[in-house]
Amino acid sequence: MRKKIVAGNWKMNKDLEAGLSLASEVINMVADEYHGTGIAILCTPFVHLHSVSKLLAGNTKVALAAQNCSQYQSGAYTGEISVEMIKSVGATWVVLGHSERREYFNETDALLLEKTKTVLGAGLNPIFCCGEPLAIREGGEYLNYVKDQLTHGLFALSAEDFSKIVIAYEPIWAIGTGLTASPEQAQEMHAALRTHIAAHYGAEIAENTSILYGGSVKASNAKELFSCPDVDGGLVGGASLQSREFTEIVKAI
Ligand code: PEP
């Protein structure tokens, strides 16, 4: 059965003190107010992972993710962070291929495939991001564009490995812009991606793949988006920086 997930991507925000307060508030609110079977994931900056993981010991409702990782295991790669380092500080998830990494750090589908294999090899869980820019949406080729991102970034994985992937569909025109995809637009893409996965890996794996929606998700629109049959939760940027707003989004899964 696919998991319901709301992941909060803090991006490059919050110093350690502010990050720990935000994490504590979310952990407490989720413990008190969320009674479903889904999970919340805090995607913090690397330098906060160790401290936040201590707040999470034994927590089954809130998990921890890095926002990126190196494709390499170890060695002379100044400034990079390896999957073993991420694992050693208590994170169990890694976000890969966020559109900001694709655009500003030139991450290609080929590189993301390497990173995905590295994450899986360490026993961590990838959240693989995909999504089209506005020009592609307006040109009408958006379904093929995003399907291609899956084909080139993921479909070289074995079925066993693919079944550990969570996908986050994030239309770039909706990230941080206040423009949200309509539930119909999100459902259209999610259903197309599920059909695409089924054609490659079979119906059972497709049915069990969690596909999150990201792009200006807020407490006010989360319920409607998450009630679409192929939307299994969300990847949340700006709204994850406020504990009350983020908790309300978690409560919508
Ligand atoms: C994101 O960065 O993944 C994102 C969806 O941001 P926002 O919610 O701010 O649009």
Side-chain angles (χ1 to χ4, degrees):
M1 212 175 80
R2 52 205 211 227
K3 294 183 219 55
K4 297 274 184 194
I5 297 171
V6 167
N9 176 15
W10 295 4
K11 309 192 187 191
M12 197 174 72
N13 291 298
K14 306 277 179 193
D15 65 13
L16 183 59
E17 192 184 344
L20 284 173
S21 331
L22 173 60
S24 309
E25 286 168 20
V26 169
I27 291 164
N28 291 335
M29 287 181 190
V30 168
D32 291 345
E33 301 173 30
Y34 177 62
H35 307 295
T37 55
I39 55 165
I41 304 178
L42 303 179
C43 314
T44 80
F46 287 127
V47 293
H48 301 5
L49 289 172
H50 189 226
S51 309
V52 174
S53 82
K54 289 186 182 158
L55 302 177
L56 286 172
N59 196 319
T60 53
K61 289 185 182 174
V62 184
L64 188 60
Q67 298 172 14
N68 178 34
C69 69
S70 173
Q71 68 272 37
Y72 302 117
Q73 299 293 341
S74 65
Y77 301 105
T78 302
E80 290 292 275
I81 303 288
S82 76
V83 283
E84 287 305 326
M85 293 170 187
I86 290 168
K87 202 158 100 170
S88 74
V89 294
T92 50
W93 295 81
V94 182
V95 178
L96 292 174
H98 190 281
S99 62
E100 289 151 16
R101 297 225 47 96
R102 290 177 185 261
E103 184 179 350
Y104 308 141
F105 302 96
N106 303 317
E107 295 201 353
T108 61
D109 289 328
L111 173 66
L112 292 170
L113 178 60
E114 269 188 75
K115 289 193 177 196
T116 303
K117 288 179 178 171
T118 305
V119 168
L120 290 166
L124 296 169
N125 306 292
I127 299 175
F128 182 93
C129 303
C130 54
E132 80 286 359
L134 185 59
I136 299 287
R137 166 67 53 173
E138 289 177 344
E141 269 303 296
Y142 51 96
L143 294 177
N144 284 336
Y145 182 94
V146 182
K147 285 195 267 184
D148 281 352
Q149 289 180 319
L150 262 51
T151 303
H152 301 301
L154 293 175
F155 282 6
L157 298 175
S158 66
E160 189 187 343
D161 276 347
F162 183 85
S163 62
K164 297 170 188 150
I165 304 286
V166 166
I167 289 169
Y169 166 60
E170 300 202 301
I172 297 170
W173 46 271
I175 296 179
T177 58
L179 286 178
T180 313
S182 65
E184 294 72 26
Q185 286 172 318
Q187 172 57 27
E188 179 192 34
M189 179 63 78
H190 285 226
L193 296 181
R194 207 176 293 289
T195 303
H196 189 52
I197 294 165
H200 192 79
Y201 288 110
E204 191 180 340
I205 287 183
E207 198 44 45
N208 287 321
T209 301
S210 296
I211 308 180
L212 315 183
Y213 167 78
S216 299
V217 175
K218 305 185 259 302
S220 58
N221 59 24
K223 193 110 216 149
E224 202 183 6
L225 285 160
F226 300 168
S227 64
C228 297
D230 286 293
V231 177
D232 305 307
L235 179 55
V236 182
S240 72
L241 297 174
Q242 294 161 356
S243 53
R244 170 48 57 202
E245 182 79 5
F246 183 65
T247 304
E248 292 304 320
I249 298 171
V250 173
K251 286 158 68 180
I253 51 172

